[in-house]
Amino acid sequence: MKISVLIFFGVAFLISCNNQRVQKKSAPDKKNVIISIQPFDDLPASYANAVYTSLKEIYSSIELKKPIPFPNAALNINRTRYRADSLIRMLSNHTADGYLTIGLTTKDISTTKGAVLDWGIMGLGFCPGKACIASTFRLHKEQRLSELFKVAIHELGHTQGLKHCIVKTCFMRDAEGKNQTNEEKEFCLDCKKVLVAAGWKLK
């Protein structure tokens, strides 16, 4: 009788463990964010392809879309530069849930910074947001492809709620009005944690 009781509890224990393992294995995984690269038609195809290739090295879910006409309506009131915020709003309106859009252009873009209404920038991303923009206009000609990728990944980070980082080698470093992308190497550990929590599956 005692042996039968022991066998019964032993079998019950094994079934319980197996059920726990099955439940743990079948737990739903967080949905992966898809990054959509949207070049405007002023951008050489080689630039968009280079950003796509570089992003693929650190992130798996990337798509490269066909170029679209550049919206000249985004020209600022002085007709000197294009408003980055207007471009972002346009891209956001065409970005589905679960996606992030990075627009790429060669145009001179700007935003308002403090008392400066027309502050020239390399890129802009709302924090948080669904879209961002990066431009080649202020990049060094000999390093333009690698710098464009770094500006793009920086602005994508802003869309996920990342603010500027004090780590000099982090992609989220503040440009402080300069082009310091040559010192940026990767996301720092703290920034990576935020992105992973947001659904990114970094390699």
Side-chain angles (χ1 to χ4, degrees), residues 16-28:
S16 176
C17 289
N18 285 335
N19 285 340
Q20 289 178 5
R21 280 197 291 268
V22 170
Q23 290 174 358
K24 187 174 182 180
K25 185 177 181 180
S26 60

Side-chain angles (χ1 to χ4, degrees), residues 20-175:
Q20 289 178 5
R21 280 197 291 268
V22 170
Q23 290 174 358
K24 187 174 182 180
K25 185 177 181 180
S26 60
D29 190 16
K30 196 159 188 176
K31 186 176 180 182
N32 200 8
V33 176
I34 299 174
I35 296 176
S36 182
I37 301 173
Q38 180 59 77
F40 288 104
D41 57 7
D42 60 289
L43 188 86
S46 59
Y47 288 32
N49 289 329
V51 172
Y52 173 83
T53 301
S54 295
L55 280 174
K56 268 288 188 180
E57 292 179 359
I58 64 169
Y59 190 77
S60 57
S61 299
I62 312 285
E63 66 174 20
L64 177 57
K65 303 183 78 172
K66 293 181 179 180
I68 59 174
F70 190 89
N72 289 318
L75 196 64
N76 66 12
I77 192 170
N78 296 321
R79 304 186 66 81
T80 54
R81 293 172 177 154
Y82 294 88
R83 293 292 302 183
D85 51 354
S86 296
L87 295 169
I88 291 174
R89 290 190 185 94
M90 184 272 287
L91 292 170
S92 294
N93 290 336
H94 294 86
T95 302
D97 291 340
Y99 285 76
L100 293 176
T101 300
I102 171 69
L104 302 178
T105 182
T106 63
K107 304 289 188 181
D108 189 9
I109 61 176
S110 65
T111 189
T112 298
K113 184 174 182 179
V116 182
L117 299 178
D118 193 28
W119 180 269
I121 54 175
M122 295 181 289
L124 184 69
F126 291 164
C127 185
K130 294 175 62 177
C132 53
I133 186 79
S135 168
T136 65
F137 191 84
R138 284 180 169 71
L139 305 184
H140 300 118
K141 184 177 180 180
E142 63 278 7
Q143 299 173 331
R144 194 167 287 164
L145 294 181
S146 62
E147 289 182 358
L148 180 59
F149 157 69
K150 291 179 179 180
V151 175
I153 197 70
H154 176 100
E155 304 309 339
L156 284 166
H158 280 318
T159 67
Q160 296 301 276
L162 284 177
K163 296 182 179 180
H164 286 141
C165 182
I166 61 173
V167 179
K168 290 185 177 181
T169 56
C170 181
F171 288 142
M172 296 310 299
R173 176 183 181 178
D174 189 352

